[in-house]
Amino acid sequence: MLLPQFAVDDVIKTALAEDINYIDTTTDLMIPEESRSAAHFLAKAEGVLCGIDAALRVFTLLDPTFRAAVFKRDGDRVRPGDVIAEVEGSTRFLLKGERTALNLLQHLSGVATATDRCVQIVKGTRASIADTRKTLPGLRSLQKYAVTVGGGRNHRFNLSDGAMLKDNHIDAAGGITAAVKAIRTRLGHMVKLEVETRNLAEVKEALEAGADVIMLDNMDCPAMAEAVRLVDGRALLEASGGITDATLRAVAETGVDIISVGALTHSVRALDISMKIR
């Protein structure tokens, strides 16, 4: 994984503390401490795998004797019946870590799979697929990693990554031109400025004000195509708002540079994967 291990470990430890608390009433009272078992992770649906390292890390944090043989890596396509990994370790810890490991693996694979589907839909156009900040609390870094595994690109990781004037910023400042003027004089030379627009008049104003990126918020395809003609490559254009699989190709064919899809992270369907003790 590209993420630092300490960041991943923090997420895992929080999840384990939430789930195990201080005792697993079922496992600790039933399974002898010395018991050891083998298990395997099995794909039950077709998709793009993501999060196998994080899933296995759950067990290594619980059990220093844990061992794994991995057959499918992040970015690999899996189909029903594919064995992703075979593991061996303390039976107690395999059972205690199962749900946390699967929660991460299923969810991140769901994000990667959804992203891959969007990437395939826009293939052949100039548009790239990007995520948003509409992420689950505490999981942003992992979710955004999963987007890249699925072939997408990351928007801002947080509010420090770039300046983005949304509708409320603009309204509070008294308009696009006033908002851009207020922030440009204080903006670092390494930081790009994006401006959200709601119509073609605002697109023109944002361009003239010097925006690096212009967001086309909830515009229809004819308006977006006209915005592409109007801007003519002088700023990047990002389409956003209410875009679905059914409309994605048409949006991409307008000529926009980026399509941001909040659903990649805020409401994605988990990929069906199971863990079976042998």
Side-chain angles (χ1 to χ4, degrees):
M1 295 181 70
L2 298 175
L3 300 174
Q5 192 63 63
F6 71 83
V8 179
D9 285 356
D10 283 347
V11 173
I12 294 171
K13 289 176 182 178
T14 298
L16 287 173
E18 180 180 62
D19 201 33
I20 298 174
N21 197 351
Y22 69 95
I23 187 173
D24 177 346
T25 305
T26 307
T27 299
D28 288 333
L29 299 182
M30 183 184 75
I31 303 297
E33 187 174 2
E34 66 278 8
S35 175
R36 298 186 66 80
S37 295
H40 64 269
F41 285 86
L42 186 71
K44 299 174 70 177
E46 185 172 349
V48 177
L49 186 72
C50 184
I52 185 59
D53 291 335
L56 298 180
R57 180 66 174 167
V58 171
F59 300 105
T60 61
L61 288 173
L62 290 170
D63 177 11
T65 71
F66 173 80
R67 296 181 297 178
V70 181
F71 307 115
K72 298 289 185 179
R73 290 290 185 181
D74 288 0
D76 289 347
R77 295 185 182 277
V78 295
R79 292 174 175 78
D82 283 351
V83 175
I84 297 166
E86 293 179 348
V87 300
E88 189 269 335
S90 163
T91 307
R92 282 187 177 184
F93 289 130
L94 288 176
L95 292 170
K96 289 182 182 184
E98 175 185 359
R99 178 42 51 200
T100 296
L102 285 175
N103 282 349
L104 290 170
L105 186 59
Q106 291 176 323
H107 178 69
L108 296 179
S109 295
V111 172
T113 299
T115 305
D116 173 71
R117 183 172 63 250
C118 291
V119 169
Q120 297 307 316
I121 291 173
V122 305
K123 194 171 183 178
T125 70
R126 67 184 299 171
S128 61
I129 300 298
D131 52 30
T132 70
R133 284 171 40 246
K134 296 175 182 177
T135 54
L136 301 180
L139 289 181
R140 178 171 295 175
S141 61
L142 284 168
Q143 287 188 308
K144 283 182 171 284
Y145 164 72
V147 167
T148 66
V149 169
R153 301 174 68 183
N154 295 142
H155 209 292
R156 293 186 296 175
F157 266 79
N158 54 58
L159 294 173
S160 301
D161 277 349
M164 185 170 177
L165 297 173
K166 296 181 70 65
D167 53 355
N168 285 331
H169 296 102
I170 292 165
D171 292 342
I176 290 174
T177 302
V180 172
K181 184 177 180 181
I183 196 172
R184 269 297 184 195
T185 57
R186 306 186 67 184
L187 204 60
H189 68 284
M190 296 291 287
V191 183
K192 287 189 176 183
L193 174 61
E194 180 167 7
V195 177
E196 180 180 292
T197 62
R198 295 162 285 197
N199 52 59
L200 291 172
E202 290 186 348
V203 170
K204 184 177 180 181
E205 184 179 359
L207 182 65
E208 292 174 349
D212 300 304
V213 185
I214 299 173
M215 176 183 285
L216 310 177
D217 185 45
N218 283 293
M219 293 189 191
D220 59 27
C221 286
M224 284 190 275
E226 180 59 23
V228 170
R229 187 198 65 77
L230 176 67
V231 171
D232 193 27
R234 289 173 287 173
L236 290 174
L237 290 177
E238 175 188 340
S240 185
I243 298 169
T244 66
D245 287 0
T247 60
L248 189 54
R249 182 72 190 188
V251 172
E253 288 177 345
T254 65
V256 295
D257 303 287
I258 305 151
I259 303 174
S260 56
V261 184
L264 295 179
T265 52
H266 70 59
S267 57
V268 71
R269 180 178 180 178
L271 189 67
D272 194 1
I273 298 171
S274 67
M275 187 188 102
K276 296 296 183 183
I277 293 279
R278 290 207 299 271

